[in-house]
Amino acid sequence: MRTRPLYDVVAVLARLGVGIVFMAHGWQKIEAGVTATGRSFDALGVPVPTVAAVYSAFVELLGGAALIVGLGLPLTGALLFIDMAGAFVFVHADRGLFMVDGKSVQNGYELVLALAMVSLLFAAGGGGRLTLDQWVVAKRLHRPGPGDEDEEDAAKFVESLRQAELKPAKKPRRSPKPPAIPAPDASEKPDKPADDPDDVLVAGRRKPSQRRRASTTQPSKPPADDTDTPS
C-alpha cells in the first residue's frame, strides 16, 4: 500500500526523467535549426511543417523544464500530450511499435506513446505535491489579500453570533432574601397598655365612663346610721 510521501517522491523522479527526455529532444531541434526541422517535418508529411517545428521545439524544451520543477503541470502536460499525439498520428503510427526491430530502425511509436501517456497523467494532477505549483499556492493562501481581512472579520463576526445562539440563556440572578424576622416567643405576652375609658372617643357627645361594679358573693351592707334608733 503506497503512502502519500512515497508517491510524492516517486512523482518527482518521474517528472525528472520525462522532463530530461523532452528537453533533450527540444534542444536537438533548436540546435539543428527550426528551418531544418521544418524541412524534415515536411518530408515526413507533417502539415504546416514550420509551425509544427517551432511548436515542438519550444514546447519540448520549455515543457520539459516545467515538468522538472513542477510549474503549470496541467497546462504543461496538456501541451506535451498534444505534441506527442501529433507525432504519433503524422509520423510514427504506420511504422509499428518498436523503434528498432533487430538491426533495422523502424522508428515506431513506443517512445511517443509512453511520453504521451505520462504527459497526460501529469496534466490530470499526477505530478505529486513536491511542485512549484504547490509552493506558490500555499504561499498565496498564507498571505492575506486586500479584501481578505474584511472577509475574515465578517467570518469571525458570524461565528460569534452562532456561538451566542448555541449558548444557553443565563438564568437571572436571584435577589438576596431579606433577613428573617425572629418570631415572637409565645411565652412572653406583650404588655398591653391599660385602656383609659376616658380617652375613648365616641361619635357625638362624649359619654361618661361607666365602671363595672366588682361582683361579690356577699350582699353589700347598708351604711350605719349615726343616729340612735328610738327604743
Side-chain angles (χ1 to χ4, degrees):
M1 182 177 179
R2 68 177 177 86
T3 58
R4 187 67 182 178
L6 179 61
Y7 176 79
D8 293 333
V9 173
V10 173
V12 170
L13 296 177
R15 293 198 330 262
L16 179 62
V18 175
I20 290 175
V21 172
F22 272 117
M23 288 185 67
H25 281 272
W27 179 252
Q28 187 182 33
K29 292 180 176 66
I30 292 176
E31 190 177 18
V34 175
T35 304
T37 304
R39 287 197 296 266
S40 299
F41 282 2
D42 189 18
L44 293 171
V46 178
V48 286
T50 304
V51 176
V54 173
Y55 176 84
S56 63
F58 286 98
V59 164
E60 290 173 5
L61 179 64
L62 300 179
L67 283 182
I68 294 174
V69 298
L71 178 62
L73 287 182
L75 179 60
T76 301
L79 293 177
L80 290 173
F81 173 77
I82 293 172
D83 181 41
M84 292 296 100
F88 174 81
V89 172
F90 297 110
V91 178
H92 303 280
D94 57 347
R95 302 197 178 194
L97 176 64
F98 299 104
M99 294 288 294
V100 178
D101 189 5
K103 293 182 180 181
S104 62
V105 178
Q106 300 293 332
N107 200 16
Y109 56 82
E110 57 179 346
L111 179 60
V112 172
L113 180 63
L115 292 176
M117 293 299 102
V118 175
S119 300
L120 188 61
L121 179 64
F122 291 150
R129 294 178 299 179
L130 301 178
T131 62
L132 191 60
D133 291 339
Q134 293 291 333
W135 182 77
V136 172
V137 170
K139 189 175 180 180
R140 183 178 179 83
L141 291 177
H142 286 294
R143 183 179 60 187
D148 292 343
E149 295 181 358
D150 296 338
E151 294 180 0
E152 185 177 357
D153 294 339
K156 289 181 179 179
F157 178 70
V158 173
E159 185 65 22
S160 63
L161 293 179
R162 291 179 180 176
Q163 294 295 334
E165 292 178 357
L166 294 177
K167 289 182 179 179
K170 295 182 179 180
K171 295 182 179 180
R173 295 181 178 178
R174 296 181 179 179
S175 57
K177 295 182 179 180
I181 301 175
D185 192 357
S187 61
E188 296 181 0
K189 295 183 179 180
D191 296 337
K192 294 182 179 180
D195 295 337
D196 191 358
D198 296 336
D199 295 338
V200 178
L201 295 178
V202 183
R205 189 175 58 184
R206 178 181 293 180
K207 294 182 180 181
S209 61
Q210 296 180 358
R211 299 190 179 189
R212 295 180 181 178
R213 294 180 179 179
S215 60
T216 58
T217 56
Q218 298 295 331
S220 61
K221 292 181 181 183
D225 194 1
D226 294 337
T227 59
D228 295 336
T229 58
S231 59

